[in-house]
């Protein structure tokens, strides 16, 4: 995924499915470095992780 698409997803009110390493995640924010984003797993666990946006996949 690229920075432009991450920004579009963040500003969208739609439920856009994104996967990271096969797990469905929510993108919380694009980090200042422009290469990573903070995400958390969909579901009851709210554990947040910083991941490379290149590794995010939109379904």
């Amino acid at each position: 995924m690229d920075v432009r698409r991450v920004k579009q997803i963040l500003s969208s009110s739609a439920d856009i499915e994104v996967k990271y390493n096969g797990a469905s995640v929510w993108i919380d924010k694009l980090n200042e470095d422009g290469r990573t984003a903070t995400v958390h797993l969909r579901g009851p666990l709210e554990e947040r992780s910083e991941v490379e946006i290149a590794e995010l996949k939109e379904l």
Side-chain angles (χ1 to χ4, degrees), residues 7-41:
K7 288 178 180 178
Q8 288 172 345
I9 290 171
L10 285 169
S11 66
S12 174
S13 61
D15 182 4
I16 300 167
E17 189 169 0
V18 175
K19 296 237 179 195
Y20 174 71
N21 284 342
S24 192
V25 297
W26 288 109
I27 302 173
D28 295 315
K29 69 175 185 172
L30 179 64
N31 296 326
E32 289 182 17
D33 62 14
R35 294 180 305 111
T36 62
T38 302
V39 302
H40 71 273
L41 292 174

